[in-house]
Amino acid sequence: MVFIVLLSFLIFSISLAQTEFYNPAPSWVKKGLVVVYSIEGGSATGTGTPKSSGIYGKGYLINVVLELENQIPYGLKIFLSSSGYSTFFDSKLGDLSLVSFYLNAKEINKAIQKKESPPNCQLNGKPGKIFMRCNQKGLSSKYIVSYDTKSGLIKDMVLSQTSVNGNITQIKANYIKHYHVNLPLVKDFPISAFESHTYTIYTFTPMGKMPSGKLNIRYIGKSGKILNYEEVGQGFPLPSKKVGLLLAGPHYIHPAWLLEKTLLNISEAEFEITRDGKGERGGILINYRWRGIDILQQEFDIKTGLLLYQYYPSLGGFALTIELQE
């Protein structure tokens, strides 16, 4: 749901986003669909050098469909991973068609038979299992995807990426379960969805609170059921494209969803998003918990759904926050 999570973990990139791969949703993909995978993998940097380092973790990948437009599902892609004493969390709102949890079996089988590959990629395999090798933007990527030949549901995925400077990422995901949850029925976007806002980023250390940049979210227009935004953050001078949906966007949650005591409860991953009273700014507090531990807290205006504040704790007394700039 948010959407403004400042931690970005490289291992999270399980998708064929860079392949311009058309993947229309089959009929069983509907609003409220939740698909859960177990996930494990790691990344290494500077391999073969004295400064090499690496990390390995296990966790979950959760896909939640919130909208469909032109046979493309949009929603939440939630990543949870633990490595030793560290916990990694990322929640992104966007296009879920990029080999997140399904393949359109008819389309992919046709591509295999005709030996058609996406740009800069080589696709091979047979119905039920595909192999793809891609070389783009300094990355050499290998994908192995097993899927149900009738429904297109992805059963497991293996991704291996190597960059030109020798950095390596490897990850594996295995299907656990899928089901549907009830979501609030709303017809109109909240007021805040059509607004542009700026947030101040703060870093909390044992030495105190320090401003560390700005986060600008600019509304640029509507395409069918999808709103479009540009986001510019500290260290990223070029804007990134973000999407907004009826229930949530890069800086809002629909007030109707905020009224729910439990916004999401994914028991298979021990993950939940709950409403927990009022915040210091008079808004509604929303807490994200994994295995009973708070991993993210946000405060929203109950009338407009606008994000007012976000707190992301870290290890050793460090934390990141964003605060709405008046």
Side-chain angles (χ1 to χ4, degrees), residues 261-274:
K261 177 58 180 175
T262 300
L263 283 71
L264 278 178
N265 181 11
I266 314 299
S267 59
E268 295 78 15
E270 301 179 83
F271 175 75
E272 63 178 356
I273 305 174
T274 61

Side-chain angles (χ1 to χ4, degrees), residues 59-126:
Y60 299 92
L61 177 65
I62 304 166
N63 298 277
V64 184
V65 179
L66 301 180
E67 188 62 86
L68 282 108
E69 176 74 358
N70 296 326
Q71 285 189 275
I72 299 299
Y74 292 84
L76 293 173
K77 184 180 289 186
I78 301 166
F79 174 75
L80 299 156
S81 178
S82 62
S83 175
Y85 296 101
S86 300
T87 296
F88 297 92
F89 166 65
D90 199 0
S91 177
K92 295 186 183 298
L93 186 70
D95 183 349
L96 298 180
S97 71
L98 303 171
V99 196
S100 295
F101 61 90
Y102 76 90
L103 285 170
N104 188 292
K106 181 178 179 180
E107 295 289 334
I108 195 67
N109 291 340
K110 186 188 300 183
I112 293 172
Q113 292 171 358
K114 293 185 177 181
K115 297 183 179 180
E116 296 175 346
S117 298
N120 302 308
C121 296
Q122 182 62 50
L123 172 67
N124 293 292
K126 60 182 181 179

